[in-house]
Amino acid sequence: MNRTPRFRVGHSLLVVLISIGVTPIAAAEARQTPPAPRASAAKRAPRAATKSATKRLYSTQRSVPRKARLARARAAATAREMAETIVPRYKVDASGDLVPDIRAAAAIIYNPETNEVLWEENSQSQRSIASITKVMTAVAFLEADPDLTQPITVVRGDVFPASTTYLRANDQITAEELLHLLLIASDNAAARVLARVSPYGTDGFIQRMNQKAAELGLENTRYADPSGLLSDNVSSAYDMARLIAHASANEKISSIMRL
C-alpha cells in the first residue's frame, strides 16, 4: 500500500493484521472480537481468587484442629513407645529380697502418713540437691503469710547471673506468680526475688531456711542460697522425703505443685 491511512488510537491491532495480509473486513471482525488470551485470563481470575480463598479458609479455620490432631497422634505414639520399651526393673539384694533396681545413687520410698520407710538405698547420705532447694524456699516464704497479690519489681541483681529464668530487670510481678515460676518452671531469679522481698532479706532468708530445716529435724540438710545454684546446698533422700511431705500439707504449695 502506497498511502498510509490515518488511524486513531485503538487501531493498532488493525495495522498489525493488514501488514501480514489480512483483508480489512477480516481485520474489522477481528477488532470487534475480544482477544483470546485476555478472555482466558479473565476466566482464570475467579479460579485464582477461589484458590486463594481456600488457602485462607484452611489456615484460619482448619489449622488449629489439625495441630491438635497431630499433637494427640504424637502423644499416642510416644505412649505406645514407652509402654513397649519401659519395663519395671528389679534386683535381688543381699538378703535375697526383690527390690527396685534404680540408677540413682540414693533413693527412698516413704509413707508420709506413718513416717515409715518402706524401702531405701543410701537415703541418709548427704549430697547436693540443686533445684529441690526451692521446696524449702516456698515453705520459708509462705510461713510469714505474705500478701501474694502485692506487685514486686524485679531488679538486676535478681536475674544476673541466674542461669534459668523467665524474668527481666524492671518486670512487675506478684508473689503468687513468683511461686508458680519457682515451683513449676524452677526459675532461679524467682527464688532470689522471694528471698529479697521476704521480711528477713536475702541473707536472713537463707538463715531462716536453715533454721526451718533444724525445726523439721532435717539433720543432713544445709542451705547456702535460695535457688539451688550453689553446690553447697546439700541434703539426703530421707530429709527431702520428709520436707516434701511437710510442704505438701500446705494447700498453696500443693496446689501449685499439682500443676
PDB file of all heavy atoms in Angstrom, residues 198-231:
ATOM      1  N   SER A 198      11.301 -10.935 101.246  1.00  0.00           N
ATOM      2  CA  SER A 198      10.803 -11.535 102.479  1.00  0.00           C
ATOM      3  C   SER A 198      11.125 -10.624 103.671  1.00  0.00           C
ATOM      4  O   SER A 198      11.985  -9.740 103.570  1.00  0.00           O
ATOM      5  CB  SER A 198      11.436 -12.908 102.696  1.00  0.00           C
ATOM      6  OG  SER A 198      12.802 -12.763 103.052  1.00  0.00           O
ATOM      7  N   PRO A 199      10.468 -10.816 104.810  1.00  0.00           N
ATOM      8  CA  PRO A 199      10.760  -9.987 105.990  1.00  0.00           C
ATOM      9  C   PRO A 199      12.205 -10.120 106.476  1.00  0.00           C
ATOM     10  O   PRO A 199      12.693  -9.249 107.207  1.00  0.00           O
ATOM     11  CB  PRO A 199       9.791 -10.523 107.044  1.00  0.00           C
ATOM     12  CG  PRO A 199       8.691 -11.176 106.265  1.00  0.00           C
ATOM     13  CD  PRO A 199       9.340 -11.720 105.044  1.00  0.00           C
ATOM     14  N   TYR A 200      12.904 -11.170 106.044  1.00  0.00           N
ATOM     15  CA  TYR A 200      14.265 -11.418 106.524  1.00  0.00           C
ATOM     16  C   TYR A 200      15.327 -10.783 105.636  1.00  0.00           C
ATOM     17  O   TYR A 200      16.488 -10.658 106.046  1.00  0.00           O
ATOM     18  CB  TYR A 200      14.528 -12.935 106.603  1.00  0.00           C
ATOM     19  CG  TYR A 200      13.406 -13.723 107.223  1.00  0.00           C
ATOM     20  CD1 TYR A 200      12.522 -14.462 106.433  1.00  0.00           C
ATOM     21  CD2 TYR A 200      13.211 -13.744 108.602  1.00  0.00           C
ATOM     22  CE1 TYR A 200      11.490 -15.199 106.995  1.00  0.00           C
ATOM     23  CE2 TYR A 200      12.182 -14.476 109.178  1.00  0.00           C
ATOM     24  CZ  TYR A 200      11.325 -15.193 108.366  1.00  0.00           C
ATOM     25  OH  TYR A 200      10.302 -15.922 108.939  1.00  0.00           O
ATOM     26  N   GLY A 201      15.003 -10.404 104.394  1.00  0.00           N
ATOM     27  CA  GLY A 201      16.029 -10.001 103.438  1.00  0.00           C
ATOM     28  C   GLY A 201      16.750 -11.242 102.931  1.00  0.00           C
ATOM     29  O   GLY A 201      16.545 -12.352 103.449  1.00  0.00           O
ATOM     30  N   THR A 202      17.619 -11.087 101.938  1.00  0.00           N
ATOM     31  CA  THR A 202      18.247 -12.254 101.303  1.00  0.00           C
ATOM     32  C   THR A 202      19.066 -13.078 102.280  1.00  0.00           C
ATOM     33  O   THR A 202      18.880 -14.298 102.402  1.00  0.00           O
ATOM     34  CB  THR A 202      19.134 -11.808 100.130  1.00  0.00           C
ATOM     35  OG1 THR A 202      18.323 -11.135  99.157  1.00  0.00           O
ATOM     36  CG2 THR A 202      19.809 -13.015  99.471  1.00  0.00           C
ATOM     37  N   ASP A 203      19.997 -12.459 102.994  1.00  0.00           N
ATOM     38  CA  ASP A 203      20.860 -13.207 103.921  1.00  0.00           C
ATOM     39  C   ASP A 203      20.055 -13.803 105.065  1.00  0.00           C
ATOM     40  O   ASP A 203      20.248 -14.965 105.448  1.00  0.00           O
ATOM     41  CB  ASP A 203      21.958 -12.303 104.468  1.00  0.00           C
ATOM     42  CG  ASP A 203      22.944 -11.870 103.390  1.00  0.00           C
ATOM     43  OD1 ASP A 203      23.038 -12.576 102.361  1.00  0.00           O
ATOM     44  OD2 ASP A 203      23.614 -10.834 103.570  1.00  0.00           O
ATOM     45  N   GLY A 204      19.131 -13.023 105.610  1.00  0.00           N
ATOM     46  CA  GLY A 204      18.305 -13.529 106.695  1.00  0.00           C
ATOM     47  C   GLY A 204      17.399 -14.659 106.249  1.00  0.00           C
ATOM     48  O   GLY A 204      17.087 -15.570 107.022  1.00  0.00           O
ATOM     49  N   PHE A 205      16.983 -14.607 104.980  1.00  0.00           N
ATOM     50  CA  PHE A 205      16.112 -15.663 104.456  1.00  0.00           C
ATOM     51  C   PHE A 205      16.845 -16.999 104.411  1.00  0.00           C
ATOM     52  O   PHE A 205      16.281 -18.040 104.759  1.00  0.00           O
ATOM     53  CB  PHE A 205      15.625 -15.282 103.059  1.00  0.00           C
ATOM     54  CG  PHE A 205      14.592 -16.220 102.502  1.00  0.00           C
ATOM     55  CD1 PHE A 205      13.252 -16.096 102.838  1.00  0.00           C
ATOM     56  CD2 PHE A 205      14.947 -17.237 101.622  1.00  0.00           C
ATOM     57  CE1 PHE A 205      12.290 -16.951 102.321  1.00  0.00           C
ATOM     58  CE2 PHE A 205      14.003 -18.103 101.101  1.00  0.00           C
ATOM     59  CZ  PHE A 205      12.663 -17.962 101.458  1.00  0.00           C
ATOM     60  N   ILE A 206      18.107 -16.977 103.998  1.00  0.00           N
ATOM     61  CA  ILE A 206      18.892 -18.225 103.948  1.00  0.00           C
ATOM     62  C   ILE A 206      19.078 -18.775 105.358  1.00  0.00           C
ATOM     63  O   ILE A 206      18.997 -19.995 105.583  1.00  0.00           O
ATOM     64  CB  ILE A 206      20.243 -17.969 103.265  1.00  0.00           C
ATOM     65  CG1 ILE A 206      20.022 -17.529 101.810  1.00  0.00           C
ATOM     66  CG2 ILE A 206      21.123 -19.219 103.300  1.00  0.00           C
ATOM     67  CD1 ILE A 206      21.271 -17.012 101.124  1.00  0.00           C
ATOM     68  N   GLN A 207      19.299 -17.887 106.309  1.00  0.00           N
ATOM     69  CA  GLN A 207      19.397 -18.339 107.701  1.00  0.00           C
ATOM     70  C   GLN A 207      18.090 -18.972 108.154  1.00  0.00           C
ATOM     71  O   GLN A 207      18.079 -19.998 108.851  1.00  0.00           O
ATOM     72  CB  GLN A 207      19.751 -17.162 108.608  1.00  0.00           C
ATOM     73  CG  GLN A 207      21.136 -16.580 108.384  1.00  0.00           C
ATOM     74  CD  GLN A 207      21.412 -15.375 109.257  1.00  0.00           C
ATOM     75  OE1 GLN A 207      20.638 -15.064 110.173  1.00  0.00           O
ATOM     76  NE2 GLN A 207      22.505 -14.678 108.980  1.00  0.00           N
ATOM     77  N   ARG A 208      16.969 -18.364 107.756  1.00  0.00           N
ATOM     78  CA  ARG A 208      15.673 -18.915 108.137  1.00  0.00           C
ATOM     79  C   ARG A 208      15.440 -20.277 107.501  1.00  0.00           C
ATOM     80  O   ARG A 208      14.828 -21.170 108.115  1.00  0.00           O
ATOM     81  CB  ARG A 208      14.556 -17.938 107.726  1.00  0.00           C
ATOM     82  CG  ARG A 208      13.155 -18.408 108.095  1.00  0.00           C
ATOM     83  CD  ARG A 208      13.042 -18.720 109.569  1.00  0.00           C
ATOM     84  NE  ARG A 208      11.840 -19.496 109.882  1.00  0.00           N
ATOM     85  CZ  ARG A 208      11.739 -20.296 110.924  1.00  0.00           C
ATOM     86  NH1 ARG A 208      12.762 -20.438 111.779  1.00  0.00           N
ATOM     87  NH2 ARG A 208      10.629 -20.961 111.143  1.00  0.00           N
ATOM     88  N   MET A 209      15.903 -20.477 106.274  1.00  0.00           N
ATOM     89  CA  MET A 209      15.795 -21.789 105.626  1.00  0.00           C
ATOM     90  C   MET A 209      16.510 -22.853 106.458  1.00  0.00           C
ATOM     91  O   MET A 209      15.986 -23.960 106.654  1.00  0.00           O
ATOM     92  CB  MET A 209      16.377 -21.736 104.211  1.00  0.00           C
ATOM     93  CG  MET A 209      15.570 -20.897 103.228  1.00  0.00           C
ATOM     94  SD  MET A 209      16.422 -20.657 101.643  1.00  0.00           S
ATOM     95  CE  MET A 209      16.348 -22.325 100.964  1.00  0.00           C
ATOM     96  N   ASN A 210      17.692 -22.529 106.954  1.00  0.00           N
ATOM     97  CA  ASN A 210      18.447 -23.487 107.769  1.00  0.00           C
ATOM     98  C   ASN A 210      17.785 -23.709 109.123  1.00  0.00           C
ATOM     99  O   ASN A 210      17.778 -24.834 109.650  1.00  0.00           O
ATOM    100  CB  ASN A 210      19.886 -22.997 107.954  1.00  0.00           C
ATOM    101  CG  ASN A 210      20.725 -23.190 106.692  1.00  0.00           C
ATOM    102  OD1 ASN A 210      20.879 -24.303 106.198  1.00  0.00           O
ATOM    103  ND2 ASN A 210      21.242 -22.099 106.157  1.00  0.00           N
ATOM    104  N   GLN A 211      17.224 -22.640 109.714  1.00  0.00           N
ATOM    105  CA  GLN A 211      16.503 -22.792 110.974  1.00  0.00           C
ATOM    106  C   GLN A 211      15.293 -23.703 110.796  1.00  0.00           C
ATOM    107  O   GLN A 211      15.002 -24.554 111.649  1.00  0.00           O
ATOM    108  CB  GLN A 211      16.068 -21.430 111.490  1.00  0.00           C
ATOM    109  CG  GLN A 211      17.202 -20.532 111.962  1.00  0.00           C
ATOM    110  CD  GLN A 211      16.735 -19.123 112.278  1.00  0.00           C
ATOM    111  OE1 GLN A 211      15.546 -18.795 112.140  1.00  0.00           O
ATOM    112  NE2 GLN A 211      17.663 -18.275 112.707  1.00  0.00           N
ATOM    113  N   LYS A 212      14.587 -23.524 109.690  1.00  0.00           N
ATOM    114  CA  LYS A 212      13.407 -24.343 109.429  1.00  0.00           C
ATOM    115  C   LYS A 212      13.793 -25.806 109.239  1.00  0.00           C
ATOM    116  O   LYS A 212      13.090 -26.711 109.708  1.00  0.00           O
ATOM    117  CB  LYS A 212      12.683 -23.828 108.178  1.00  0.00           C
ATOM    118  CG  LYS A 212      11.326 -24.471 107.939  1.00  0.00           C
ATOM    119  CD  LYS A 212      10.346 -24.091 109.033  1.00  0.00           C
ATOM    120  CE  LYS A 212       8.964 -24.646 108.764  1.00  0.00           C
ATOM    121  NZ  LYS A 212       8.002 -24.289 109.851  1.00  0.00           N
ATOM    122  N   ALA A 213      14.924 -26.048 108.572  1.00  0.00           N
ATOM    123  CA  ALA A 213      15.403 -27.419 108.402  1.00  0.00           C
ATOM    124  C   ALA A 213      15.680 -28.058 109.761  1.00  0.00           C
ATOM    125  O   ALA A 213      15.336 -29.231 109.996  1.00  0.00           O
ATOM    126  CB  ALA A 213      16.655 -27.425 107.539  1.00  0.00           C
ATOM    127  N   ALA A 214      16.273 -27.286 110.664  1.00  0.00           N
ATOM    128  CA  ALA A 214      16.549 -27.815 112.006  1.00  0.00           C
ATOM    129  C   ALA A 214      15.256 -28.096 112.767  1.00  0.00           C
ATOM    130  O   ALA A 214      15.143 -29.113 113.473  1.00  0.00           O
ATOM    131  CB  ALA A 214      17.425 -26.827 112.776  1.00  0.00           C
ATOM    132  N   GLU A 215      14.275 -27.199 112.634  1.00  0.00           N
ATOM    133  CA  GLU A 215      12.991 -27.395 113.303  1.00  0.00           C
ATOM    134  C   GLU A 215      12.290 -28.665 112.824  1.00  0.00           C
ATOM    135  O   GLU A 215      11.602 -29.344 113.601  1.00  0.00           O
ATOM    136  CB  GLU A 215      12.086 -26.187 113.065  1.00  0.00           C
ATOM    137  CG  GLU A 215      12.552 -24.908 113.742  1.00  0.00           C
ATOM    138  CD  GLU A 215      11.722 -23.702 113.334  1.00  0.00           C
ATOM    139  OE1 GLU A 215      10.699 -23.898 112.632  1.00  0.00           O
ATOM    140  OE2 GLU A 215      12.086 -22.579 113.713  1.00  0.00           O
ATOM    141  N   LEU A 216      12.465 -28.981 111.546  1.00  0.00           N
ATOM    142  CA  LEU A 216      11.832 -30.182 110.978  1.00  0.00           C
ATOM    143  C   LEU A 216      12.657 -31.445 111.219  1.00  0.00           C
ATOM    144  O   LEU A 216      12.245 -32.530 110.808  1.00  0.00           O
ATOM    145  CB  LEU A 216      11.600 -29.981 109.478  1.00  0.00           C
ATOM    146  CG  LEU A 216      10.603 -28.884 109.094  1.00  0.00           C
ATOM    147  CD1 LEU A 216      10.570 -28.694 107.578  1.00  0.00           C
ATOM    148  CD2 LEU A 216       9.204 -29.208 109.616  1.00  0.00           C
ATOM    149  N   GLY A 217      13.799 -31.296 111.839  1.00  0.00           N
ATOM    150  CA  GLY A 217      14.650 -32.458 112.117  1.00  0.00           C
ATOM    151  C   GLY A 217      15.390 -32.976 110.895  1.00  0.00           C
ATOM    152  O   GLY A 217      15.739 -34.157 110.830  1.00  0.00           O
ATOM    153  N   LEU A 218      15.669 -32.090 109.944  1.00  0.00           N
ATOM    154  CA  LEU A 218      16.391 -32.485 108.725  1.00  0.00           C
ATOM    155  C   LEU A 218      17.893 -32.354 109.010  1.00  0.00           C
ATOM    156  O   LEU A 218      18.529 -31.355 108.693  1.00  0.00           O
ATOM    157  CB  LEU A 218      15.965 -31.604 107.547  1.00  0.00           C
ATOM    158  CG  LEU A 218      14.445 -31.470 107.335  1.00  0.00           C
ATOM    159  CD1 LEU A 218      14.157 -30.612 106.101  1.00  0.00           C
ATOM    160  CD2 LEU A 218      13.774 -32.829 107.229  1.00  0.00           C
ATOM    161  N   GLU A 219      18.464 -33.384 109.580  1.00  0.00           N
ATOM    162  CA  GLU A 219      19.819 -33.317 110.113  1.00  0.00           C
ATOM    163  C   GLU A 219      20.898 -33.237 109.045  1.00  0.00           C
ATOM    164  O   GLU A 219      21.998 -32.737 109.310  1.00  0.00           O
ATOM    165  CB  GLU A 219      20.072 -34.537 111.019  1.00  0.00           C
ATOM    166  CG  GLU A 219      19.126 -34.605 112.220  1.00  0.00           C
ATOM    167  CD  GLU A 219      19.367 -35.836 113.061  1.00  0.00           C
ATOM    168  OE1 GLU A 219      20.227 -36.670 112.664  1.00  0.00           O
ATOM    169  OE2 GLU A 219      18.697 -35.983 114.113  1.00  0.00           O
ATOM    170  N   ASN A 220      20.623 -33.716 107.860  1.00  0.00           N
ATOM    171  CA  ASN A 220      21.636 -33.716 106.789  1.00  0.00           C
ATOM    172  C   ASN A 220      21.452 -32.569 105.796  1.00  0.00           C
ATOM    173  O   ASN A 220      22.041 -32.593 104.716  1.00  0.00           O
ATOM    174  CB  ASN A 220      21.578 -35.046 106.026  1.00  0.00           C
ATOM    175  CG  ASN A 220      22.031 -36.207 106.864  1.00  0.00           C
ATOM    176  OD1 ASN A 220      23.094 -36.155 107.488  1.00  0.00           O
ATOM    177  ND2 ASN A 220      21.233 -37.263 106.921  1.00  0.00           N
ATOM    178  N   THR A 221      20.646 -31.577 106.160  1.00  0.00           N
ATOM    179  CA  THR A 221      20.275 -30.524 105.220  1.00  0.00           C
ATOM    180  C   THR A 221      20.930 -29.190 105.579  1.00  0.00           C
ATOM    181  O   THR A 221      20.856 -28.744 106.731  1.00  0.00           O
ATOM    182  CB  THR A 221      18.747 -30.350 105.191  1.00  0.00           C
ATOM    183  OG1 THR A 221      18.143 -31.608 104.837  1.00  0.00           O
ATOM    184  CG2 THR A 221      18.341 -29.302 104.176  1.00  0.00           C
ATOM    185  N   ARG A 222      21.560 -28.561 104.559  1.00  0.00           N
ATOM    186  CA  ARG A 222      22.173 -27.248 104.712  1.00  0.00           C
ATOM    187  C   ARG A 222      21.873 -26.430 103.456  1.00  0.00           C
ATOM    188  O   ARG A 222      21.921 -26.967 102.332  1.00  0.00           O
ATOM    189  CB  ARG A 222      23.691 -27.343 104.892  1.00  0.00           C
ATOM    190  CG  ARG A 222      24.167 -28.216 106.027  1.00  0.00           C
ATOM    191  CD  ARG A 222      23.897 -27.585 107.394  1.00  0.00           C
ATOM    192  NE  ARG A 222      24.448 -28.423 108.458  1.00  0.00           N
ATOM    193  CZ  ARG A 222      23.802 -29.466 109.008  1.00  0.00           C
ATOM    194  NH1 ARG A 222      22.584 -29.793 108.561  1.00  0.00           N
ATOM    195  NH2 ARG A 222      24.365 -30.174 109.970  1.00  0.00           N
ATOM    196  N   TYR A 223      21.589 -25.138 103.635  1.00  0.00           N
ATOM    197  CA  TYR A 223      21.295 -24.248 102.508  1.00  0.00           C
ATOM    198  C   TYR A 223      22.291 -23.095 102.450  1.00  0.00           C
ATOM    199  O   TYR A 223      22.633 -22.509 103.479  1.00  0.00           O
ATOM    200  CB  TYR A 223      19.876 -23.685 102.618  1.00  0.00           C
ATOM    201  CG  TYR A 223      18.796 -24.743 102.565  1.00  0.00           C
ATOM    202  CD1 TYR A 223      18.143 -25.162 103.728  1.00  0.00           C
ATOM    203  CD2 TYR A 223      18.431 -25.334 101.359  1.00  0.00           C
ATOM    204  CE1 TYR A 223      17.160 -26.135 103.682  1.00  0.00           C
ATOM    205  CE2 TYR A 223      17.453 -26.310 101.304  1.00  0.00           C
ATOM    206  CZ  TYR A 223      16.817 -26.704 102.465  1.00  0.00           C
ATOM    207  OH  TYR A 223      15.849 -27.682 102.418  1.00  0.00           O
ATOM    208  N   ALA A 224      22.734 -22.774 101.232  1.00  0.00           N
ATOM    209  CA  ALA A 224      23.649 -21.651 101.023  1.00  0.00           C
ATOM    210  C   ALA A 224      23.040 -20.573 100.135  1.00  0.00           C
ATOM    211  O   ALA A 224      23.542 -19.453 100.090  1.00  0.00           O
ATOM    212  CB  ALA A 224      24.955 -22.148 100.396  1.00  0.00           C
ATOM    213  N   ASP A 225      21.977 -20.907  99.387  1.00  0.00           N
ATOM    214  CA  ASP A 225      21.260 -19.918  98.573  1.00  0.00           C
ATOM    215  C   ASP A 225      19.833 -20.425  98.353  1.00  0.00           C
ATOM    216  O   ASP A 225      19.568 -21.620  98.543  1.00  0.00           O
ATOM    217  CB  ASP A 225      21.986 -19.683  97.236  1.00  0.00           C
ATOM    218  CG  ASP A 225      21.616 -20.710  96.188  1.00  0.00           C
ATOM    219  OD1 ASP A 225      22.008 -21.887  96.339  1.00  0.00           O
ATOM    220  OD2 ASP A 225      20.929 -20.352  95.229  1.00  0.00           O
ATOM    221  N   PRO A 226      18.904 -19.528  97.966  1.00  0.00           N
ATOM    222  CA  PRO A 226      17.501 -19.946  97.866  1.00  0.00           C
ATOM    223  C   PRO A 226      17.113 -20.652  96.575  1.00  0.00           C
ATOM    224  O   PRO A 226      15.992 -21.160  96.461  1.00  0.00           O
ATOM    225  CB  PRO A 226      16.743 -18.615  97.982  1.00  0.00           C
ATOM    226  CG  PRO A 226      17.692 -17.604  97.425  1.00  0.00           C
ATOM    227  CD  PRO A 226      19.063 -18.078  97.784  1.00  0.00           C
ATOM    228  N   SER A 227      18.010 -20.696  95.589  1.00  0.00           N
ATOM    229  CA  SER A 227      17.648 -21.256  94.287  1.00  0.00           C
ATOM    230  C   SER A 227      18.177 -22.662  94.043  1.00  0.00           C
ATOM    231  O   SER A 227      17.609 -23.412  93.257  1.00  0.00           O
ATOM    232  CB  SER A 227      18.148 -20.336  93.166  1.00  0.00           C
ATOM    233  OG  SER A 227      19.563 -20.352  93.128  1.00  0.00           O
ATOM    234  N   GLY A 228      19.297 -23.007  94.672  1.00  0.00           N
ATOM    235  CA  GLY A 228      19.921 -24.305  94.418  1.00  0.00           C
ATOM    236  C   GLY A 228      21.058 -24.243  93.431  1.00  0.00           C
ATOM    237  O   GLY A 228      21.609 -25.278  93.039  1.00  0.00           O
ATOM    238  N   LEU A 229      21.437 -23.037  93.007  1.00  0.00           N
ATOM    239  CA  LEU A 229      22.558 -22.909  92.067  1.00  0.00           C
ATOM    240  C   LEU A 229      23.880 -23.305  92.709  1.00  0.00           C
ATOM    241  O   LEU A 229      24.789 -23.780  92.030  1.00  0.00           O
ATOM    242  CB  LEU A 229      22.654 -21.474  91.543  1.00  0.00           C
ATOM    243  CG  LEU A 229      21.717 -21.104  90.389  1.00  0.00           C
ATOM    244  CD1 LEU A 229      21.811 -19.613  90.082  1.00  0.00           C
ATOM    245  CD2 LEU A 229      22.042 -21.918  89.152  1.00  0.00           C
ATOM    246  N   LEU A 230      24.004 -23.118  94.019  1.00  0.00           N
ATOM    247  CA  LEU A 230      25.254 -23.437  94.703  1.00  0.00           C
ATOM    248  C   LEU A 230      25.273 -24.910  95.119  1.00  0.00           C
ATOM    249  O   LEU A 230      24.288 -25.437  95.645  1.00  0.00           O
ATOM    250  CB  LEU A 230      25.429 -22.548  95.937  1.00  0.00           C
ATOM    251  CG  LEU A 230      25.503 -21.037  95.670  1.00  0.00           C
ATOM    252  CD1 LEU A 230      25.724 -20.275  96.975  1.00  0.00           C
ATOM    253  CD2 LEU A 230      26.602 -20.716  94.671  1.00  0.00           C
ATOM    254  N   SER A 231      26.409 -25.552  94.896  1.00  0.00           N
ATOM    255  CA  SER A 231      26.545 -26.966  95.260  1.00  0.00           C
ATOM    256  C   SER A 231      26.614 -27.162  96.771  1.00  0.00           C
ATOM    257  O   SER A 231      26.544 -28.298  97.253  1.00  0.00           O
ATOM    258  CB  SER A 231      27.796 -27.553  94.604  1.00  0.00           C
ATOM    259  OG  SER A 231      28.955 -26.858  95.020  1.00  0.00           O
TER     260      SER A 231
END
